[in-house]
Amino acid sequence: MQHKKAHHTFLVKKVDGKEQKTSIKTLDHICGFFSIAMPLTTLPQIIKIYVEKDVAGLSLLYWVLYTMSCIPFLLYGIVHKAKPVAILNLSWMVVNLVIIVGILLYR
């Protein structure tokens, strides 16, 4: 029976003439974190919409188009099994839809 060797992939860059290796796994974890964190940056806008019932200056067309632009990237992430890409775009779609509903409710 053959045992498979663990395969580690690294990004290599030169810093001050020395090679530094960064694990792809580390990059995956960082991207996974930001795929959730970035859409949360929209929370202040969502709070303003639903607490203050204020949608002044928000364009429904912009938010609809922004949401639709996530669809091809979501599909890309799913097809290529790129979880951070899929999660990021699904997360953006959810927060964008929450904003769209708020605009429709309070305009």
Side-chain angles (χ1 to χ4, degrees):
M1 183 193 310
Q2 286 185 324
H3 293 279
K4 288 186 176 182
K5 290 184 180 180
H7 179 68
H8 296 283
T9 305
F10 295 95
L11 295 174
V12 179
K13 68 177 183 175
K14 292 221 180 214
V15 177
D16 296 329
K18 296 180 182 178
E19 285 188 354
Q20 286 187 338
K21 294 181 180 180
T22 303
S23 169
I24 294 291
K25 194 85 166 156
T26 301
L27 185 58
D28 288 345
H29 289 302
I30 292 168
C31 289
F33 168 77
F34 279 102
S35 70
I36 299 295
M38 289 304 299
L40 294 178
T41 62
T42 312
L43 280 177
Q45 184 69 65
I46 292 171
I47 290 168
K48 182 175 181 176
I49 291 170
Y50 287 94
V51 172
E52 299 175 18
K53 297 177 177 33
D54 180 9
V55 295
L58 296 179
S59 166
L60 178 61
L61 178 61
Y62 168 81
W63 287 100
V64 168
L65 292 174
Y66 188 33
T67 304
M68 289 174 51
S69 73
C70 294
I71 294 170
F73 293 102
L74 172 62
L75 294 174
Y76 180 91
I78 292 168
V79 168
H80 290 280
K81 297 182 174 119
K83 282 184 186 178
V85 174
I87 292 168
L88 175 64
N89 285 284
L90 181 61
S91 300
W92 275 120
M93 287 180 73
V94 169
V95 297
N96 292 346
L97 288 170
V98 169
I99 289 174
I100 290 168
V101 168
I103 291 171
L104 293 172
L105 284 174
Y106 301 117
R107 65 178 175 165

